[in-house]
Amino acid sequence: MTPQRTWYVGLSNTGHDPAIAIVDPNGCVAFAEATERFTQVKRAWGVPPDIAGHLAHAIDQTDFEIGRDRVEVSTCWKSVQSRPAEMLKNPLMSPNQLSALSTYQASLFDVSGASFRLLDIADEPIKVRKFEHHSCHAAAAVYFSDARDAVCLVVDGEGETGAVSQFSITNRRLSRDWRSWNAGASLGLYYSWLTLRCGFSDVLGEEWKVMGLAAFGTVREELVDPLQRILSFKNHRPEPCCSEVMAEVEAQVRAFARGSSDPVMQAADLAASGQYVYGLFADELLSGCAKSENRNLLLTGGCALNSSYNGTIRSRFGFEQVDVPPCPADDGNAIGAALLAWSADNNAPIPKSDRSAYFGSLPDRQAIARCMAYAAGSLRITELAGDQPLVTANLLAKGKIIGVMKGSAEFGPRALGNRSILADPRSHQMKDRLNKLVKGREAYRPFAPVIAEHLVDDWFQTPEPSPYMAKTLQWRSTSKELVPAVVHTDGTGRLQTVRHDQNPWLADLLEAFERISGVPIILNTSLNIMGKPIAHSVEDAVAMLMTTGLDAVLLENVLIEKPS
């Protein structure tokens, strides 16, 4: 008889960005996916991470044996945020948002684990284990790094007490150095506040828009001075301002803010100044980390998605290695919670991944077959074999825009080639075509370059690996004119570096495109339209083909093209 195995399921139950992760008995992540992909509702506010349909789908993607194997379930909060009266006065977040988040968290604590019995995965009520929020962030960061020892900084909107924690990683085990204790002293809430003042939605996670817009603005002293008053620092640890100071800041900033219907560029100077001040705040935190003898830095938490800042860290602070996981925000805590449970039960350090981020759903082969049958009369369908990279590269070189749904989906907010839209970066018109005809988003928004890791030095001024699009680097002056579609207005690119052992198909595609075009770079953006999560199903991908300016979609080995 096959011995019973124990699997570890982690649930991200913050109230936003829910996710489910499954760690196998050996400590390897077998599946991880954000709930928004399954529901196709951006950020999935208030949705349980283990809703029955998604949980059943997740289990089905592994070799877990229902009726034989057992499961341990963990969540990424030690306790529900009680929101005492003083916390509800947080000047960086409205009382309505704080109250709503409290309600979501309380309900998710109550329902976590229920679906396991509904689906007969467990016979007894699940005893859900609860791990501290920032420890989950740190554990996930360790998993995606190859460093044995490091200093780990967690910076987000909030944890159980505050929004910053520093850990020492020794032999891949965590020990906390310090934590902040005031929820109002938060770089994450500061950036959410800035996002709202720039006329975007923090609920929809539009902080990205502020980062992109910052490049078009001017850093202005009359904005920097008041923005700096929002947070102060003592021994590199953040402290909040009082409500009176916040009211003064609001009054000084108001003239530079915009409403959601105002011209986007109206907020460019505020975005530039706000991003600059974010860098000053982050510098204070990292100055403390830089005092550590360890020269490996792990940066995680939602603020680690600030790729514009991340690309400057290594050169300015002297760290030998700066690692940001592909999922630093709360969705990644599903992995952290599962790993902490596995580590505790096996008395083992956090295991090391192969740096892959491809843990999500596979395309449904039956759905691909149905699409082929239904589309046969109106679309061109080609089944590709080993010539996939060459055929795709030829289409890209001819100016075609191609959606890709291949293999397991990426975990985290960035598409890394398996749920991507790919295009030729040499075209001066490509950025506008994509933004207007495919993505349906603001014209200023930039796109990412994909490049082989060993070629980064040829194209960027301060080369370093960036496998998860976590860092924005400056292009070399000789490079920018060759790939205008992936050069932002400030001369930067948020790059994805690729190694053959991490994504062989994408590496082969880059090589094929270089042979055809002379350029070893491809434009990459996520397979979605603005306001929607990255495509989850085959039907999502085909719907994008039929309702946007996409020219083709590649579904595993099946290429579906619109008529010329």
Side-chain angles (χ1 to χ4, degrees):
M1 178 180 290
T2 305
Q4 185 184 56
R5 302 173 299 175
T6 299
W7 295 69
Y8 294 83
V9 177
L11 304 175
S12 173
N13 62 329
T14 296
H16 59 78
D17 301 303
I20 185 169
I22 303 176
V23 169
D24 71 17
N26 298 315
C28 299
V29 176
F31 179 86
E33 190 166 79
T35 309
E36 72 168 20
R37 302 284 186 95
F38 184 80
T39 63
Q40 283 295 290
V41 176
K42 192 71 174 174
R43 303 196 72 189
W45 283 86
V47 178
D50 55 337
I51 55 174
H54 197 201
L55 177 60
H57 174 77
I59 292 292
D60 189 54
Q61 299 285 302
T62 71
D63 63 350
F64 180 93
E65 295 184 43
I66 295 178
R68 181 183 300 276
D69 293 344
R70 62 183 298 273
V71 65
E72 288 283 338
V73 181
S74 304
T75 61
C76 64
W77 287 89
K78 196 73 172 178
S79 59
V80 177
Q81 285 281 31
S82 59
R83 312 290 181 195
E86 61 270 19
M87 190 178 292
L88 291 176
K89 296 178 182 178
N90 187 329
L92 289 172
M93 197 172 185
S94 76
N96 283 341
Q97 284 189 332
L98 285 163
S99 177
L101 197 50
S102 286
T103 303
Y104 286 148
Q105 284 187 323
S107 66
L108 294 178
F109 264 70
D110 289 341
V111 302
S112 291
S115 292
F116 288 85
R117 294 197 71 194
L118 179 68
L119 298 173
D120 291 326
I121 297 171
D123 294 328
E124 301 296 329
I126 292 289
K127 184 178 180 180
V128 178
R129 300 161 73 168
K130 301 176 178 67
F131 289 97
E132 197 268 339
H133 189 67
H134 284 180
S135 296
C136 293
H137 274 305
V142 173
Y143 183 74
F144 286 102
S145 172
D146 58 8
R148 188 189 68 174
D149 304 315
V151 57
C152 177
L153 185 67
V154 180
V155 191
D156 64 3
E158 59 177 354
E160 282 83 356
T161 59
V164 184
S165 291
Q166 181 178 308
F167 294 84
S168 289
I169 313 300
T170 306
N171 293 322
R172 302 186 68 80
R173 294 180 184 268
L174 309 178
S175 62
R176 190 191 299 274
D177 297 330
W178 62 268
R179 70 192 306 172
S180 60
W181 290 92
N182 193 310
S186 168
L187 272 70
L189 292 184
Y190 159 76
Y191 216 92
S192 294
W193 174 89
L194 176 66
T195 299
L196 286 170
R197 299 312 175 276
C198 288
F200 303 122
S201 171
D202 61 334
V203 173
L204 295 178
E206 293 183 338
E207 287 85 353
W208 330 91
K209 297 186 179 183
V210 179
M211 280 182 273
L213 183 59
F216 292 85
T218 300
V219 177
R220 302 180 63 142
E221 184 178 345
E222 61 266 44
L223 283 170
V224 169
D225 289 345
L227 290 174
Q228 281 188 272
R229 299 177 67 196
I230 292 176
L231 295 178
S232 59
F233 290 82
K234 185 175 182 180
N235 296 324
H236 307 292
R237 304 179 189 190
E239 297 183 351
C241 68
C242 63
S243 57
E244 291 78 13
V245 168
M246 198 66 213
E248 294 173 5
V249 173
E250 291 272 13
Q252 291 172 283
V253 165
R254 191 170 296 123
F256 296 89
R258 68 175 278 264
S260 58
S261 60
D262 293 329
V264 170
M265 289 301 160
Q266 181 174 314
D269 288 353
L270 177 57
S273 302
Q275 174 69 19
Y276 174 77
V277 171
Y278 171 86
L280 297 179
F281 291 157
D283 282 351
E284 283 281 355
L285 297 175
L286 284 168
S287 293
C289 294
K291 294 179 179 179
S292 168
E293 293 182 0
N294 200 299
R295 307 318 298 157
N296 297 322
L297 173 69
L298 309 185
L299 182 64
T300 188
C303 290
L305 290 169
N306 196 311
S307 55
S308 297
Y309 178 78
N310 295 348
T312 70
I313 292 173
R314 186 179 178 190
S315 59
R316 290 192 300 114
F317 288 96
F319 291 107
E320 294 178 8
Q321 184 173 322
V322 176
D323 286 337
V324 179
C327 48
D330 280 7
D331 54 350
N333 277 7
I335 286 179
L339 288 172
L340 287 173
W342 179 90
S343 181
D345 287 358
N346 290 275
N347 190 26
I350 302 297
K352 181 169 62 174
S353 76
D354 60 1
R355 305 298 294 273
S356 169
Y358 306 101
F359 298 125
S361 300
L362 290 163
D364 186 333
R365 293 281 184 175
Q366 292 183 337
I368 294 175
R370 287 196 301 271
C371 289
M372 292 172 66
Y374 296 151
S378 56
L379 301 174
R380 181 181 177 186
I381 299 172
T382 309
E383 291 191 63
L384 304 178
D387 57 349
Q388 261 192 58
L390 183 59
V391 171
T392 307
N394 270 307
L395 289 172
L396 293 174
K398 293 175 181 176
K400 301 296 184 181
I401 301 173
I402 303 175
V404 175
M405 180 172 278
K406 287 181 60 66
S408 298
E410 308 89 332
F411 185 52
R414 272 82 184 247
L416 303 174
N418 283 17
R419 299 293 183 276
S420 289
I421 296 171
L422 304 179
D424 187 342
R426 299 172 299 162
S427 167
H428 287 273
Q429 291 77 39
M430 186 58 73
K431 177 181 172 181
D432 289 340
R433 279 182 63 195
L434 278 165
N435 276 326
K436 182 178 181 179
L437 301 178
V438 180
K439 302 287 283 188
R441 64 184 199 175
E442 297 88 352
Y444 75 87
R445 302 275 298 277
F447 294 104
V450 186
I451 183 172
E453 185 178 297
H454 69 277
L455 296 177
V456 175
D457 191 23
D458 297 339
W459 292 81
F460 291 89
Q461 292 181 16
T462 53
E464 57 180 302
S466 179
Y468 313 125
M469 282 191 203
K471 300 166 187 173
T472 296
L473 303 180
Q474 281 283 338
W475 290 92
R476 292 190 181 277
S477 58
T478 54
S479 305
K480 291 185 288 187
E481 292 186 1
L482 299 176
V483 286
V486 288
V487 179
H488 200 28
T489 192
D490 59 354
T492 64
R494 190 190 72 197
L495 70 160
Q496 176 194 355
T497 57
V498 175
R499 295 202 321 247
H500 201 275
D501 60 329
Q502 292 172 341
N503 191 323
W505 179 83
L506 189 55
D508 288 343
L509 178 63
L510 286 167
E511 291 175 1
F513 187 75
E514 182 180 18
R515 289 196 299 271
I516 296 166
S517 69
V519 171
I521 294 169
I522 291 173
L523 182 154
N524 180 12
T525 186
S526 54
L527 185 60
N528 70 332
I529 58 174
M530 189 172 74
K532 293 288 287 182
I534 294 174
H536 176 73
S537 67
V538 168
E539 291 82 358
D540 292 335
V542 175
M544 274 203 68
L545 173 66
M546 301 307 296
T547 58
T548 73
L550 281 179
D551 295 303
V553 290
L554 180 62
L555 307 173
E556 293 290 23
N557 67 324
V558 176
L559 181 68
I560 302 179
E561 300 174 79
K562 291 176 179 174
S564 299

